[in-house]
Amino acid sequence: MDTHDHPTPTRYRQARSPRGHRHRRTPHTAQTPAVLALAAAALLTGCTAAPPAAPTASAPPATAPASAGTPGAPHSAAPAPPPGTLLVTDFGADTVTFVDPSARGAAADLGSVRVGTAPYGIALGADGTAWVATAEGVAAVDTRTRERTALIPYATATGAVTTGEYRGGGMGIALSPDGSRVYVGVNVPGREGALEVVDTARRKVVRTVPVGRRPFDVDVSRDGRQVYVTNHDSFDVTVVTTRDGSARRVEVAPYGTEGGLGSWLKPHYAVVRPSDGALLLPFEGERLAVVDPATGRVRIEPMTADTHQHGAAVAADGTLFVVGTGPIDPAEDAGPSLTIRTPAGRERLVPLDGPHEDVALSADGATAYVSGGFTRDGYWNGLSVVDTATGRVTRVPVGERPLGIAVL
């Protein structure tokens, strides 16, 4: 991993008002060694200035052979995983891991399948195929036989295959409602990224659309007519029309863009609100950006967690779940948490032990699964399983820097 190769940049923050909301921007400069040690444990994936651009001369691989499961684990002969099994991407390895969230200890790990270097996002099709964004290409995994059936190379040149938070390759990923298309945000180090469209039947890239920098997340409208790409390093969302691939940019920067690549106040993940199709993007446990994709208008609502926020999920009834990864400044910010926000805007906070990255929900919304992995020190190899009614948290050790989560 390249997690120790970059000097800590000046981080731009807003000074707080008595209510805790930031109202003016000041450079966040060096702290005492003790504070820096605490801050290092809360550094989060994609929130610092990127390193110099990586070479982009290499082309994607010409072939995409299928791959068997992890040596010694005959996944093709294993029984199909039961409903409610989780599949998590191991960003610190080249695998996805099947997880029984009801089990404890080693029994929770149901085995892993090789998919490709540094897998990030994951999307699950109705046919049981999981689509995984890796540094090498989009992997297709048959979750019934537990084997990789394809690795589809990117059409975009992303440089040498590497690991770490700035690696090139796929990040956010989503499926069309009919399952015929996979949409993957492809990061090109030091440059604008791309949305690549994969035909799931032909298993090849059929369209490439330019988007912003570091496409953390990809979401699809309920009718499948639009794709929304959340671009971390360019403070925006690219709205792509699926019919013809036309695109337009919507800036989403409730704190402004003054810090540029060194800013921590950038968009990370979005969800599509079931009631009206609006995009919801949380920032810092203080502000929720509500974006109308049709007009590009952005409205801000207050939030209460007061912690740097990343992953988000939404239940069928519109309840929003947001992962608080931890403080930028431990002297000012709250620790990791899961925000549970009703459609009316009432919030309940569930404290979490250590930084986390993303969240997925059980089919009934009664359980939230929160991944413990990210690319810097402070990650942990496991999931927090949260009872959404009581707030009770159970930690399940599994995987290697687990990021994306799919519920089978």
Side-chain angles (χ1 to χ4, degrees):
M1 306 297 286
D2 64 351
T3 56
H4 300 292
D5 295 343
H6 318 307
T8 302
T10 297
R11 298 192 292 276
Y12 288 83
R13 296 274 293 171
Q14 282 74 26
R16 293 178 182 274
S17 68
R19 292 187 179 182
H21 294 287
R22 306 177 180 101
H23 59 87
R24 63 183 176 84
R25 187 177 299 277
T26 56
H28 186 72
T29 53
Q31 304 285 336
T32 65
V35 172
L36 282 175
L38 287 170
L43 289 177
L44 311 162
T45 182
C47 299
T48 58
T56 57
S58 64
T63 59
S67 171
T70 302
H75 296 293
S76 60
T85 297
L86 308 179
L87 188 59
V88 301
T89 61
D90 295 315
F91 191 66
D94 61 356
T95 57
V96 293
T97 297
F98 290 84
V99 182
D100 179 355
S102 65
R104 297 294 173 265
D109 189 331
L110 302 179
S112 300
V113 176
R114 288 198 182 105
V115 289
T117 303
Y120 193 95
I122 184 171
L124 182 66
D127 64 353
T129 301
W131 302 89
V132 185
T134 81
E136 301 175 58
V138 176
V141 176
D142 186 325
T143 61
R144 297 182 177 92
T145 63
R146 305 193 205 185
E147 60 186 351
R148 191 187 80 184
T149 57
L151 181 62
I152 303 160
Y154 300 118
T156 304
T158 60
V161 173
T162 61
T163 60
E165 68 174 309
Y166 302 114
R167 67 133 175 87
M171 298 187 74
I173 191 169
L175 270 168
S176 62
D178 64 3
S180 67
R181 296 290 186 269
V182 170
Y183 303 101
V184 57
V186 178
N187 179 45
V188 180
R191 293 170 47 195
E192 303 296 297
L195 177 72
E196 296 202 359
V197 183
V198 175
D199 183 313
T200 58
R202 295 158 60 193
R203 299 200 168 188
K204 64 179 294 185
V205 175
V206 294
R207 174 176 282 162
T208 300
V209 180
V211 297
R213 288 193 169 205
R214 278 214 287 170
F216 256 56
D217 196 20
V218 175
D219 297 276
V220 181
S221 64
R222 294 168 296 170
D223 59 11
R225 294 180 179 180
Q226 292 184 323
V227 176
Y228 312 116
V229 184
T230 302
N231 306 301
H232 178 269
D233 282 3
S234 49
F235 296 89
D236 59 24
V237 171
T238 303
V239 180
V240 179
T241 301
T242 58
R243 177 179 55 83
D244 59 6
S246 60
R248 54 191 169 84
R249 173 182 182 267
V250 177
E251 182 177 283
V252 186
Y255 296 98
T257 63
E258 181 183 335
L261 289 177
S263 173
W264 287 60
L265 307 175
K266 294 182 278 193
H268 295 87
Y269 296 81
V271 298
V272 178
R273 187 160 61 187
S275 61
D276 60 0
L279 294 179
L280 307 179
L281 296 92
F283 287 79
E284 302 302 296
E286 293 183 338
R287 302 178 187 183
L288 180 68
V290 183
V291 181
D292 182 341
T295 65
R297 294 192 182 96
V298 181
R299 180 169 53 84
I300 304 300
E301 297 179 1
M303 298 187 75
T304 61
D306 193 25
T307 186
H308 193 62
Q309 289 178 320
H310 273 207
V314 66
D317 67 356
T319 300
L320 178 65
F321 296 79
V322 183
V323 180
T325 59
I328 297 175
D329 183 349
E332 295 184 0
D333 302 331
S337 63
L338 179 68
T339 291
I340 303 175
R341 181 186 176 94
T342 70
R346 294 186 296 273
E347 294 189 351
R348 181 162 52 93
L349 304 182
V350 178
L352 298 175
D353 183 6
H356 291 66
E357 178 67 22
D358 207 355
V359 57
L361 304 175
S362 61
D364 59 6
T367 308
Y369 307 104
V370 193
S371 57
F374 54 92
T375 59
R376 287 180 175 264
D377 286 348
Y379 75 90
W380 67 285
N381 295 329
L383 307 173
S384 286
V385 180
V386 180
D387 183 311
T388 61
T390 66
R392 181 174 179 268
V393 179
T394 303
R395 286 165 66 91
V396 179
V398 72
E400 187 169 344
R401 297 190 180 190
L403 290 187
I405 311 169
V407 183
L408 305 187

